[in-house]
Amino acid sequence: MVIEEESPRSPEAKLGMELEELWDIQEAQLTPTEKLNACFESIPVSEFPHASPSQVIEIKSDASLGEAVRLLSQNKILSAPVVNVDAPEDASWIDRYLGMVEFAGIVVWILHQSEKNDGSDVFSSALDNSLRPAVVAAAGGMSSPRYRSSQPESPKTAGNFFELLTSSDFYKNTKVKDISGSFRWAPFLALQTSNSFLTMLLLLSKYRMKSVPVVDPDDGKIHNIITQSAVIHMLEECADLQWFKSWGSKKLCELGLPLMNTSEVIKVDEDEPVLQAFRLMRQKGIGGLPVVNGNKPVANISIRDIQFLLIAPEIYKDYRSITAKNFVTSVKRYLEENKKASPLVSGMITCRKDDTLKEVILKLDSKEIHRIYVVGEEGDLEGVITLRDIISRIVHEPRGYFGDFFDGVLPLPANSRV
């Protein structure tokens, strides 16, 4: 009796089998990286498994900032494309979309507004005068222990600041289009369905995009949004295939991971103001950082956690200042009481330098997190590994690969990108 081979268990596994077939026919003299590059270049991005409908949402340019925060939070996504409500019905996809609004951009907007202290801006006049020093202190890191030691009278971040901000007319009346300067790319950067996997993977790694929209040029609309997390999930589903094993079986240290040593990891002390954490993310262009006690990581704060300052501002009102420790404690309690899942609830996820890439990918995918911290035997912080770091280890950009692909695409100014 002939037993039929079991079909792949998921679209990602089916895609992995296609890569396996391409891998087997590559020229023998190619290096593993060259072989995999050739495989990825042979597959159109249209074949990547589609995200769930809740992951592919659009936000209108005239939506309020509060509505955008609510939509991103409810759908558990970091960003969403912004539709230009003033564009004509028959507009091309280039004119139809303004960009991607994301939590990172919202952080930029909040810090930009809070750093204005000339007394003449709309933000200052919208809030009680007594709060202005606290906002500026929080944004500038003036509530940190180091700063307080030299400036003992420095104001602290008021625990009720965000409750007042989110109830102000200024916040309610601010539209998504009003913060367009904080979009990661302007104008809209997307892939077309005919672009290759290799192009997509390079954008998600070397070019630091956390998600890439895929548009169909025929109807000018987004058909899929591919995230770094979706790529990591695909790798997890392919973990037992031959093309993956040449990387997956290697230890992190053999792959040059983590990319930065202990002294280079951006971190925040648990007693520093939480806005200092978001300020560092903005300045350093990172999506998250560890909260430390000494050199031991005790929590992780991600850029998307800014949502908890805006959707549940009342949970901090009992604190005289919102430190990183107070923020994490309050959010954990809020999530547990409301039975909501979040990486903040599961605590610190760590690994060791002698763990394999496969083991780390399994952790990242199962916990749905974007970074994992490398610790030593005593639990001291030794490094950090992000989804981007992992993707960058399986592809490389051939010389002149993108050509004029980026013509007309303007990156964010250095002081706005996060």
Side-chain angles (χ1 to χ4, degrees):
M1 184 174 79
V2 178
I3 300 177
E4 292 186 6
E5 185 177 346
E6 184 180 352
S7 60
R9 62 188 181 278
S10 68
E12 290 81 7
K14 182 178 180 181
L15 185 58
M17 292 301 298
E18 183 177 350
L19 282 166
E20 186 89 329
E21 292 173 1
L22 289 168
W23 174 272
D24 290 339
I25 62 174
Q26 298 303 313
E27 297 179 10
Q29 68 268 27
L30 296 178
T31 66
T33 299
E34 289 172 335
K35 290 175 69 174
L36 196 51
N37 252 32
C39 294
F40 286 138
E41 181 64 15
S42 300
I43 301 178
V45 75
S46 58
E47 291 192 23
F48 195 91
H50 279 244
S52 66
S54 66
Q55 303 290 297
V56 187
I57 66 168
E58 298 178 349
I59 295 178
K60 294 182 178 180
S61 59
D62 61 353
S64 70
L65 186 59
E67 184 180 356
V69 170
R70 179 181 59 80
L71 286 170
L72 293 175
S73 178
Q74 284 182 347
N75 291 284
K76 299 180 180 180
I77 53 178
L78 295 175
S79 60
V82 178
V83 178
N84 184 2
V85 295
D86 298 321
E89 281 292 323
D90 59 349
S92 68
W93 63 269
I94 295 177
D95 297 320
R96 175 179 167 82
Y97 298 99
L98 291 178
M100 300 283 287
V101 65
E102 53 186 1
F103 280 125
I106 292 169
V107 168
V108 169
W109 177 83
I110 288 175
L111 294 178
H112 177 66
Q113 299 302 327
S114 66
E115 287 165 358
K116 292 181 180 179
N117 193 36
D118 59 9
S120 61
D121 58 280
V122 180
F123 183 76
S124 294
S125 62
L127 301 175
D128 184 88
N129 287 340
S130 65
L131 286 179
R132 287 189 219 156
V135 182
V136 177
M142 292 164 57
S143 296
S144 68
R146 179 180 298 177
Y147 190 92
R148 288 201 304 270
S149 65
S150 60
Q151 304 286 340
E153 300 305 317
S154 297
K156 297 179 180 180
T157 311
N160 64 340
F161 167 70
F162 285 97
E163 193 168 16
L164 291 178
L165 170 62
T166 54
S167 62
S168 70
D169 290 338
F170 176 66
Y171 178 78
K172 293 176 182 177
N173 295 332
T174 299
K175 306 296 183 184
V176 170
K177 61 184 177 183
D178 297 332
I179 67 167
S180 59
S182 69
F183 294 163
R184 185 174 296 274
W185 296 95
F188 188 62
L189 175 63
L191 290 176
Q192 298 188 41
T193 50
S194 58
N195 288 124
S196 73
F197 260 52
L198 181 57
T199 302
M200 175 264 290
L201 292 172
L202 288 171
L203 290 177
L204 291 174
S205 55
K206 181 177 180 179
Y207 292 91
R208 304 176 66 88
M209 294 183 68
K210 296 185 183 301
S211 62
V212 181
V214 180
V215 299
D216 187 331
D218 292 332
D219 63 15
K221 295 182 179 180
I222 292 175
H223 282 222
N224 197 10
I225 294 181
I226 302 174
T227 65
Q228 291 176 338
S229 296
V231 171
I232 294 299
H233 179 62
M234 182 198 78
L235 294 177
E236 187 276 333
E237 290 286 287
C238 302
D240 295 324
L241 297 177
Q242 189 60 42
W243 66 265
F244 178 84
K245 287 181 179 179
S246 57
W247 287 271
S249 59
K250 291 183 178 179
K251 295 180 179 180
L252 297 178
C253 54
E254 295 174 331
L255 292 166
L257 295 172
L259 295 178
M260 58 179 66
N261 58 41
T262 309
S263 62
E264 296 173 314
V265 176
I266 309 301
K267 50 188 177 290
V268 65
D269 188 85
E270 62 181 6
D271 291 325
E272 291 191 85
V274 71
L275 277 190
Q276 173 69 351
F278 293 116
R279 179 173 177 265
L280 285 170
M281 292 182 214
R282 182 196 70 170
Q283 290 180 338
K284 304 299 182 180
I286 55 178
L289 47 71
V291 178
V292 298
N293 181 345
N295 193 41
K296 288 184 168 53
V298 295
N300 172 75
I301 296 179
S302 298
I303 201 77
R304 60 180 166 184
D305 294 331
I306 192 74
Q307 64 182 291
F308 297 116
L309 290 174
L310 302 174
I311 65 173
E314 70 282 357
I315 66 179
Y316 316 102
K317 62 184 179 182
D318 293 333
Y319 291 114
R320 293 184 62 191
S321 68
I322 311 175
T323 64
K325 181 179 180 179
N326 291 343
F327 174 77
V328 171
T329 301
S330 298
V331 172
K332 280 185 176 180
R333 183 167 58 244
Y334 166 79
L335 292 168
E336 290 167 353
E337 289 175 353
N338 290 273
K339 295 180 172 56
K340 294 184 177 181
S342 169
L344 267 176
V345 177
S346 57
M348 287 298 295
I349 308 298
T350 61
C351 65
R352 301 288 184 87
K353 287 182 178 179
D354 58 357
D355 288 348
T356 66
L357 183 63
K358 177 181 176 179
E359 290 170 336
V360 169
I361 286 176
L362 290 175
K363 282 187 178 181
L364 289 166
D365 186 56
S366 63
K367 299 296 184 180
E368 298 182 346
I369 53 178
H370 292 174
R371 64 196 54 77
I372 188 168
Y373 295 103
V374 184
V375 297
E377 292 184 3
E378 302 298 322
D380 290 325
L381 183 65
E382 294 187 349
V384 59
I385 297 172
T386 66
L387 305 187
R388 182 171 70 89
D389 295 336
I390 291 175
I391 298 171
S392 69
R393 280 296 176 264
I394 64 172
V395 292
H396 76 276
E397 181 180 352
R399 183 185 299 273
Y401 178 77
F402 277 101
D404 60 359
F405 181 86
F406 293 106
D407 284 2
V409 177
L410 305 176
L412 275 181
N415 63 349
S416 295
R417 184 166 182 169
V418 284

